[in-house]
Amino acid sequence: MSSKSIAAKYTPSTATLRADLQNLKTDLDSLVTHAVDLTDAELSDAYEKLAGKLHNAKDSARALADKASTQLHHGVEVTTEYVKERPRQSLALAVGIGALIGILLARR
């Protein structure tokens, strides 16, 4: 199975990333606590496990960032189309929002 087909089935979420990071933190805390008592082989195994979990967390973060980037670009495209199709309404909306922000900032 190719990495693209695996990535297509994997839908990232902040909960997934948060869980991956929490597992990584728990394992790292455990390793630091027990590192003195471990043999070289056990330390090597622990390192491999942590490296794998770090890789998973990194993949989750990258997938989430890619998803956010795609959504941002889609939002920019939709907004650009709206502005091109309705320039007067867009200008009126921008002036209204600017005035509202100005009023709110003037109150401070």
Side-chain angles (χ1 to χ4, degrees):
M1 189 176 278
S2 71
S3 62
K4 286 186 178 183
S5 63
I6 293 171
K9 292 180 181 179
Y10 176 73
T11 54
S13 69
T14 54
T16 304
L17 180 58
R18 192 171 285 129
D20 286 347
L21 290 174
Q22 184 60 41
N23 288 338
L24 182 64
K25 180 187 177 299
T26 302
D27 289 349
L28 189 56
D29 288 344
S30 176
L31 179 62
V32 167
T33 303
H34 299 95
V36 177
D37 302 328
L38 298 177
T39 65
D40 287 342
E42 291 171 331
L43 280 174
S44 179
D45 288 343
Y47 172 79
E48 292 297 323
K49 275 174 109 177
L50 283 174
K53 288 188 180 194
L54 180 61
H55 182 72
N56 288 344
K58 194 165 67 169
D59 286 346
S60 294
R62 185 172 291 129
L64 209 59
D66 289 344
K67 183 178 177 182
S69 176
T70 301
Q71 289 176 343
L72 176 68
H73 290 314
H74 176 70
V76 168
E77 288 174 8
V78 169
T79 303
T80 302
E81 281 182 36
Y82 181 85
V83 170
K84 285 180 181 179
E85 291 173 3
R86 299 174 185 90
R88 290 185 188 135
Q89 290 97 339
S90 300
L91 182 61
L93 187 61
V95 168
I97 291 173
L100 180 62
I101 291 172
I103 290 169
L104 291 175
L105 291 177
R107 287 185 176 185
R108 287 183 174 192

